[in-house]
Amino acid sequence: MRLFISLLLAGHLSLASASTPTNVVLPPMRFATTLKHETLIDEIKAYPAFANIDNKNLGAPILLRVTHTWRATAGGDAAGVASGLLAGSSLGILPVVTNRDMVITYEILVHGTQIAAFEFVENFTSTVSIYSEQARTGALSESEKAWLADTLRQFDAQVQHHEGVRELLGEYQYYFGS
Amino acid sequence: MKGLGLLLSVLFVALAVSGCTANRMTTQTLPKGVVLNKNVKIPNDTFIAIYIPADISNGRFYLEQAGFFVEPGRAMKDAVSAVMKTYFTEHAYFDRDSEQLYGLLLDLQPTWSFQYGQVEMTMQYVVRGEAGVELLKGEKKFKTSIGSLRDGNGFYNAALRSTQMLVIDVLNRLKPTSQVYAQVLRMKDVSPETLVDKEKPVRTGSAFFINATGQMLTAAHVLKDCAWAEVKQGTEQHSIRIQASSTLLDLTLGTIDKPSPDFLPLRNAGKVELGENVSMIGFPLQGVLAASSNLTRGNISSMQGLQGDVGTLQFSAPIQPGASGGPLVSDQGELIGVTLSSLHLANLGEKGILPQNVNFALQPIYVKKFLDKNAVVYSEYVEPKKGPTPTFQNAIPAVVQVACYQ
């Protein structure tokens, strides 16, 4: 025990993990998304790992792509159609009620080849008037936006430890420097 | 009346949407006229290995107007798996590097066709046994409503039924058992050349030799996901063994394991001059243009590619599909770039811009770094002290056509 403490004090040992990785910062890259969420790119750029994203980087070999899709749930589709018919027959007085899973996928691609992908799924029940801005434009609801922000936080955390991303950074450093 | 019109519109949309959806079929029923022989027991205990071309199983595209991905590849793979689970106790997808043992190999070559809201899957198949011997072959088709593109059920159903039909054919005609087709064949021992469609390469491009041992460079996207790749040199064909690849540079090193007397030297010190004359040598538009090499002339237009690009230069020598991976050479025949791509015109055309001859090549300093990283022997150009100076035409014999098969 005394030897352990001596070595620790002498700086020959560290309590921190010997393999703690340095923070990942991705090089300049393009960005594409299927989401109708105007501030998404700014929210992503707020994370240091993605600070180099720029929609003007048309020639960048690396692309961050954020896509979304909706998956039907058991009974959700039938209920949604019935709700849609009721909304129509009430001339829009009754809202459309849907229950479905939202799937957000964050992909990092290099020249079209996927290096890393992270998928997040959450169930949402929404009540929307057919005349609303949301119904018309497909914009996210407040609860969907809040969940999206949480997935972004998780994506950033997972990217830090992804082996493929670290290999990409190592290769980028070799060819193009810091 | 206005309210009635709105009501009818909403009802029409709801009915149209519900009518357009197609539910997923199951293996509980068979297509009309398809019968499994009474003496065939399922699930069958033969271990089945399944090969599907990568471009088909990974098939996926983004529908911008609708805002979602259409994934026929995933739908097809789900369908094939569902059928295999019903009719066989065990199965696995082919992996050329795997030690997995199997009894029978099912080599599938699926194709999609579309007509009037319907999708048809044509499933060509070959069943192979020991040493790749062909035991059975055939083709099954199934057409169904495409339904909603979002859920992909149309693709799933067409693939499910066509796979069901071919599996029933295999079970009825071969009557396989784990005793007759024991699980002793190894995936790693299968020559991918026997699995691919050699009549139709999925991709062709250009490549060039970098030294006398037969090592060659090409664009990585030309040889991506190839189960089998070949070089065409005159009337001869040689298989390519991939040795190293960089997705970041879009560059691949391969070898034909045969000496090549003609190869390209790199430019000494790697520096390229703006405005310098260049020749692009390659094999573009195979099947349209002549099968011999094609040479176009131009100059270095810019020492950089598009904004955000790293490692490329811009040149003006015209290129067409199939030229990717070909060399850019100087007037002395030195390698000064590897042809990678051309500016995508569609988006710019919408803005009223029609750029011409805006093409990109990997700069020679990064080619050098790649070769050094992979310990590849190469030469650098030295002006001869005696005799004639080489010209760009001296580079032509070092350039070959490559073909990718799946």
Side-chain angles (χ1 to χ4, degrees):
Chain A
M1 185 63 180
R2 276 189 192 170
L3 177 61
F4 173 82
I5 293 170
S6 303
L7 286 170
L8 183 62
L9 290 171
H12 292 295
L13 280 181
S14 171
L15 286 175
S17 162
S19 61
T20 301
T22 52
N23 283 345
V24 159
V25 177
L26 285 156
M29 47 186 196
R30 291 175 289 135
F31 175 71
T33 184
T34 59
L35 287 159
K36 290 183 172 47
H37 184 38
E38 282 176 9
T39 60
L40 179 58
I41 188 170
D42 295 322
E43 289 174 36
I44 292 175
K45 285 181 73 161
Y47 287 87
F50 313 112
N52 294 317
I53 285 175
D54 191 335
N55 276 338
K56 293 178 191 162
N57 286 337
L58 297 175
I62 306 172
L63 168 70
L64 171 62
R65 184 165 68 193
V66 183
T67 55
H68 80 294
T69 191
W70 295 97
R71 280 188 203 149
T73 57
D77 253 4
V81 170
S83 168
L85 287 170
L86 278 172
S89 61
S90 70
L91 298 180
I93 294 170
L94 293 174
V96 178
V97 181
T98 56
N99 178 275
R100 49 190 183 170
D101 288 339
M102 185 177 187
V103 184
I104 298 279
T105 308
Y106 296 86
E107 296 172 276
I108 296 173
L109 302 109
V110 178
H111 282 131
T113 298
Q114 191 189 79
I115 300 294
F118 309 86
E119 186 177 281
F120 304 92
V121 185
E122 182 75 3
N123 183 262
F124 288 97
T125 299
S126 70
T127 307
V128 175
S129 163
I130 60 174
Y131 301 114
S132 68
E133 173 88 8
Q134 191 183 340
R136 206 167 45 79
T137 64
L140 300 179
S141 66
E142 289 308 313
S143 57
E144 287 160 3
K145 285 180 190 172
W147 176 68
L148 178 64
D150 187 58
T151 64
L152 186 46
R153 185 189 53 74
Q154 293 180 62
F155 166 53
D156 175 62
Q158 290 179 27
V159 152
Q160 302 294 328
H161 301 283
H162 193 277
E163 194 183 318
V165 172
R166 290 195 166 271
E167 279 175 14
L168 171 64
L169 290 178
E171 193 184 6
Y172 196 97
Q173 173 69 21
Y174 171 76
Y175 287 113
F176 307 115
S178 55
Chain B
M1 286 306 290
K2 196 175 173 184
L4 181 61
L6 178 61
L7 169 64
L8 286 171
S9 301
V10 172
L11 282 173
F12 173 76
V13 167
L15 283 169
V17 166
S18 59
C20 276
T21 57
N23 293 324
R24 282 207 165 179
M25 296 175 184
T26 71
T27 56
Q28 299 304 310
T29 54
L30 288 172
K32 214 186 267 187
V34 178
V35 176
L36 182 66
N37 288 351
K38 282 180 188 165
N39 55 359
V40 173
K41 187 183 155 208
I42 58 167
N44 187 284
D45 61 357
T46 311
F47 194 109
I48 299 290
I50 305 148
Y51 170 76
I52 302 176
D55 279 5
I56 299 286
S57 64
N58 297 334
R60 177 192 202 220
F61 58 92
Y62 184 64
L63 209 57
E64 193 159 343
Q65 297 89 334
F68 56 81
F69 276 99
V70 181
E71 298 184 273
R74 180 191 278 211
M76 187 204 63
K77 220 168 162 188
D78 287 350
V80 170
S81 295
V83 172
M84 293 302 152
K85 280 177 189 162
T86 300
Y87 293 98
F88 296 96
T89 49
E90 283 188 276
H91 72 279
Y93 288 97
F94 180 77
D95 176 353
R96 64 189 295 177
D97 298 319
S98 172
E99 299 282 346
Q100 172 70 54
L101 299 178
Y102 66 93
L104 280 177
L105 175 56
L106 186 55
D107 177 2
L108 302 179
Q109 291 285 338
T111 49
W112 299 107
S113 54
F114 305 91
Q115 198 178 32
Y116 306 125
Q118 295 212 304
V119 56
E120 183 177 54
M121 164 132 281
T122 300
M123 195 78 89
Q124 293 182 320
Y125 57 98
V126 177
V127 181
R128 298 188 184 277
E130 195 170 350
V133 168
E134 184 182 298
L135 300 172
L136 184 68
K137 67 192 271 188
E139 179 182 288
K140 297 294 177 192
K141 294 185 180 194
F142 191 84
K143 193 192 291 186
T144 185
S145 165
I146 199 167
S148 163
L149 288 173
R150 185 192 287 276
D151 57 34
N153 286 349
F155 296 109
Y156 179 91
N157 294 337
L160 186 88
R161 285 290 183 250
S162 50
T163 308
Q164 244 185 324
M165 290 194 285
L166 77 90
V167 163
I168 301 278
D169 187 42
V170 171
L171 291 170
N172 285 344
R173 287 165 67 186
L174 271 185
K175 300 180 183 51
T177 66
S178 59
Q179 284 78 44
V180 176
Y181 300 106
Q183 193 181 341
V184 297
L185 306 175
R186 201 167 59 150
M187 286 190 184
K188 210 171 176 176
D189 296 334
V190 176
S191 167
E193 190 180 11
T194 57
L195 299 176
V196 302
D197 181 358
K198 290 289 291 285
E199 304 280 311
K200 243 182 335 186
V202 296
R203 233 171 285 124
T204 62
S206 310
F208 57 93
F209 292 107
I210 198 69
N211 57 39
T213 68
Q215 286 182 301
M216 35 150 278
L217 290 174
T218 185
H221 69 265
V222 173
L223 295 185
K224 186 183 170 189
D225 292 334
C226 303
W228 185 255
E230 283 181 350
V231 147
K232 285 186 186 174
Q233 203 174 10
T235 53
E236 293 182 4
Q237 281 147 7
H238 308 285
S239 66
I240 301 170
R241 183 166 56 87
I242 308 288
Q243 294 180 301
S245 203
S246 168
T247 310
L248 185 59
L249 297 183
D250 194 10
L251 195 62
T252 283
L253 172 77
T255 181
I256 59 169
D257 291 314
K258 182 182 172 281
S260 168
D262 300 300
F263 53 90
L264 299 183
L266 268 68
R267 166 157 290 181
N268 202 339
K271 197 172 169 225
V272 178
E273 302 287 337
L274 183 66
E276 183 174 346
N277 288 335
V278 297
S279 299
M280 198 290 301
I281 308 170
F283 290 81
L285 294 176
Q286 283 309 295
V288 178
L289 297 180
S292 61
S293 58
N294 194 271
L295 188 149
T296 57
R297 300 268 292 159
N299 63 291
I300 301 292
S301 320
S302 172
M303 296 310 299
Q304 287 179 322
L306 297 172
Q307 180 178 334
D309 185 74
V310 283
T312 63
L313 50 81
Q314 184 188 323
F315 66 97
S316 62
I319 67 172
Q320 288 86 29
S324 286
L328 211 60
V329 300
S330 68
D331 281 348
Q332 290 74 43
E334 319 151 89
L335 178 73
I336 55 173
V338 180
T339 304
L340 295 181
S341 64
S342 194
L343 187 63
H344 190 58
L345 296 178
N347 293 337
L348 290 174
E350 287 166 8
K351 297 177 185 174
I353 302 167
L354 200 64
Q356 294 182 26
N357 298 338
V358 182
N359 307 312
F360 303 102
L362 183 67
Q363 293 184 30
I365 59 165
Y366 301 110
V367 176
K368 239 186 214 186
K369 281 192 158 187
F370 176 83
L371 294 172
D372 290 339
K373 188 184 185 202
N374 292 287
V376 176
V377 170
Y378 59 89
S379 60
E380 289 180 322
Y381 177 77
V382 175
E383 185 142 352
K385 289 177 182 163
K386 288 182 196 175
T389 303
T391 70
F392 58 84
Q393 283 159 333
N394 290 110
I396 295 172
V399 185
V400 292
Q401 185 193 357
V402 293
C404 170
Y405 300 93
Q406 288 184 356

